[in-house]
Amino acid sequence: MEATMIFANSPIVWLFALLVISVVAFQGIKFILLALKTSPSVGMTKEEAKSALKVGAINAIGPSLGIIIVAISLIALLGEPLTLMRIGIIGSAGIEATGAQLASSSAGVELGTSAFTNEVFTLVVWVLCLGGIGWLLVVTLFTKSLGKMQTKIVSKNKNKEFPIMIILSTAAMLGIFSNFVMDEMAKGVMSAAVIFASGIAMILVSLIANKFKKLNWLNEYSLGISIIVGLSVSYMML
């Protein structure tokens, strides 16, 4: 295991990890610049675009905390560079942990044991990379087609009071998050209490921010506040 961790943290693995992360960083910066450039074409002012970026940055802090916790545990098992590479390009740290465990188990080895060799580590790397390639291929192959489909649907939508794409995207998001929420609520009273408390906190913060113009900045922190409320409720119910 010790020899494998030396290999997992070797300069060559760091090189590949940093190459991947540099691509992600470039994409993030490029997307921000493109968003600022094209925002006037969709009726957004520069102030609104900057505010949207600020809201996204602040709201990303809360969900990232859970990923950080999983990342710390993965570092001890897979090394720093591989963990950095995978956490930097995927959306679910839990899936990475599960994938690493399944890959290791398929070789008859448990993560973190003395039987975790360089060969098993290489197997884990391949499984994680191939397992995350699906949505990347979908984005690469179908983004342009989906964009054309959206443009076609919007152009045929003559009723401006019924913005079909906004309604469809909102309904899709509500369906996805409702599915997650129902799964969590089924786990017990504590989970249900946390969900209700977080939801009520989000609604109250939004109502206050919208009612008082001087408190509009609260909208930027609504997700973070609701997460803190949910964590507080869960802690009190332990």
Side-chain angles (χ1 to χ4, degrees):
M1 177 64 182
E2 184 177 350
T4 303
M5 284 297 98
I6 293 175
F7 172 72
N9 292 288
S10 62
I12 187 65
V13 182
W14 269 112
L15 175 62
F16 282 106
L18 292 176
L19 285 173
V20 173
I21 293 300
S22 64
V23 172
V24 175
F26 170 78
Q27 287 178 323
I29 295 171
K30 189 65 177 179
F31 289 156
I32 290 174
L33 294 176
L34 288 173
L36 292 174
K37 182 179 179 180
T38 59
S39 58
S41 65
V42 295
M44 292 181 67
T45 63
K46 288 185 177 180
E47 290 73 21
E48 289 174 334
K50 291 180 179 179
S51 177
L53 290 172
K54 185 178 179 181
V55 171
I58 294 172
N59 287 344
I61 295 174
S64 298
L65 294 177
I67 295 176
I68 290 173
I69 294 172
V70 178
I72 292 173
S73 64
L74 284 177
I75 287 174
L77 300 172
L78 302 177
E80 296 174 6
L82 178 60
T83 301
L84 173 66
M85 182 178 71
R86 296 308 306 162
I87 296 300
I89 62 175
I90 52 90
S92 175
I95 290 178
E96 296 301 296
T98 302
Q101 183 62 48
L102 290 174
S104 180
S105 299
S106 68
V109 175
E110 290 296 323
L111 289 174
T113 63
S114 58
F116 190 70
T117 62
N118 290 351
E119 290 76 14
V120 180
F121 173 77
T122 305
L123 173 64
V124 170
V125 173
W126 276 103
V127 169
L128 296 183
C129 293
L130 292 176
I133 203 172
W135 46 72
L136 298 177
L137 286 176
V138 170
V139 171
T140 302
L141 298 175
F142 300 109
T143 296
K144 189 174 182 179
S145 299
L146 291 173
K148 290 181 179 179
M149 184 185 300
Q150 176 184 346
T151 303
K152 189 174 182 180
I153 293 173
V154 171
S155 64
K156 290 187 176 182
N157 183 26
K158 304 300 182 181
N159 187 358
K160 300 302 180 182
E161 296 180 359
F162 187 77
I164 186 168
M165 287 306 301
I166 295 177
I167 293 173
L168 286 176
S169 59
T170 302
M173 291 296 293
L174 287 174
I176 292 169
F177 284 107
S178 295
N179 182 53
F180 291 149
V181 167
M182 293 306 296
D183 287 341
E184 291 299 318
M185 288 187 67
K187 293 181 180 179
V189 176
M190 181 185 291
S191 296
V194 169
I195 290 169
F196 280 115
S198 301
I200 293 171
M202 174 73 80
I203 293 171
L204 289 177
V205 171
S206 298
L207 289 174
I208 293 171
N210 292 331
K211 183 167 182 163
F212 304 100
K213 292 184 178 180
K214 291 183 179 180
L215 297 177
N216 278 341
W217 56 270
L218 276 175
N219 279 320
E220 300 174 0
Y221 297 89
S222 57
L223 179 59
I225 293 172
S226 66
I227 290 174
I228 292 174
V229 170
L231 291 173
S232 301
V233 170
S234 65
Y235 178 77
M236 290 186 292
M237 293 184 67
L238 288 176

